[in-house]
Amino acid sequence: MREAFHDQLESIFDDLAAICSQVEDAVSSATDALLKGDATTAERVISSDAAIDRARERVEETAFSLLSLQAPVAGDLRVVVAALRMVTELERMGDLSVHVAKIARLRVPHVAVPEEIRPTISRMAEVAEDMVRRVQDVITTRDVATAIEVGRDDEEMDQLRRQSFTELLSDSWSHGVEAAVDVALLGRYYERIADHAVSVANRVVFVVTGEFPAALRA
């Protein structure tokens, strides 16, 4: 019975890694739609979000079943509760990718991001996608050192966010309020994707060690 229980725990992490892969595709495709003004790709990201929602529901059903039928304690309980938090974070990352895709779709046939700020937004997208990819590896391997590094990578995203505001508030900005709102929102969406990635990585550290990264660095 306990062996079957631990197999189910492992299956939850397999499902989380699979959802993370879906999120990575959503981030990548939404960015592609954004920078190319591609309505078809944007629509695909928006419609594909339902699959991420269904996957989250399956993880929740498994987790709640384990809680009610197995009454896990100590480390096993920590795994189940962390999984419930992690799947919510992953779903929100998918939702944020949908928000990026919706901005892309709204501005078609034009591109939402003005040329001079494209390098900043493109780099934010690259950092976000890389962090999602690394989080998938963390979920699969449960490597604490890699998980902690994800948190440190978030510093670049914070710097890029500040840089985007500097560019928006510059006297040379000539693209009007609409474009400024789009860029401000996009920066926020990518920053939040990164924040959720850090949160997931931190929860993996908690599953493995019983402590969050800040405690380990203290």
Side-chain angles (χ1 to χ4, degrees):
M1 179 68 73
R2 299 304 294 175
E3 184 176 345
F5 168 63
H6 284 102
D7 286 345
Q8 287 178 296
L9 283 181
E10 286 300 317
S11 74
I12 288 178
F13 270 76
D14 291 341
D15 291 340
L16 290 172
I19 294 171
C20 203
S21 179
Q22 290 175 284
V23 170
E24 182 188 344
D25 180 66
V27 174
S28 176
S29 297
T31 300
D32 197 49
L34 177 70
L35 298 179
K36 295 179 180 178
D38 185 339
T40 300
T41 301
E43 289 289 355
R44 181 171 68 81
V45 173
I46 294 165
S47 62
S48 295
D49 190 56
I52 294 176
D53 293 342
R54 289 193 297 271
R56 184 215 73 212
E57 291 168 1
R58 289 193 296 271
V59 168
E60 288 178 341
E61 288 170 2
T62 301
F64 287 134
S65 176
L66 291 175
L67 286 172
S68 62
L69 298 177
Q70 301 291 340
V73 295
D76 290 340
L77 178 61
R78 189 165 69 228
V79 171
V80 176
V81 172
L84 285 168
R85 299 286 182 84
M86 289 160 65
V87 77
T88 299
E89 304 269 10
L90 292 172
E91 185 203 22
R92 288 175 180 167
M93 292 157 75
D95 291 342
L96 289 160
S97 300
V98 168
H99 293 332
V100 172
K102 286 182 175 179
I103 288 181
R105 183 181 64 180
L106 181 65
R107 301 307 173 202
V108 172
H110 304 292
V111 175
V113 183
E115 189 65 33
E116 63 263 37
I117 204 169
R118 282 172 67 94
T120 301
I121 296 298
S122 296
R123 182 57 190 161
M124 292 183 85
E126 289 172 3
V127 171
E129 186 179 348
D130 181 63
M131 290 178 73
V132 176
R133 185 182 304 112
R134 295 181 69 185
V135 163
Q136 182 183 357
D137 182 58
V138 167
I139 291 171
T140 301
T141 64
R142 278 170 251 185
D143 185 292
V144 170
T146 302
I148 292 173
E149 283 298 322
V150 171
R152 292 175 179 145
D153 288 348
D154 191 45
E155 294 174 7
E156 181 180 359
M157 181 65 80
D158 292 340
Q159 291 170 356
L160 288 164
R161 177 78 164 138
R162 289 191 292 271
Q163 180 178 326
S164 70
F165 275 121
T166 299
E167 294 175 83
L168 285 178
L169 297 174
S170 168
D171 291 338
S172 63
W173 182 262
S174 61
H175 304 285
V177 173
E178 188 175 82
V181 170
D182 283 347
V183 169
L185 287 173
L186 289 166
R188 179 59 174 163
Y189 298 152
Y190 285 120
E191 180 186 43
R192 289 301 297 151
I193 289 170
D195 288 343
H196 286 304
V198 171
S199 183
V200 172
N202 287 347
R203 293 190 190 284
V204 172
V205 174
F206 180 67
V207 165
V208 175
T209 68
E211 297 182 286
F212 282 98
L216 295 176
R217 289 195 295 265

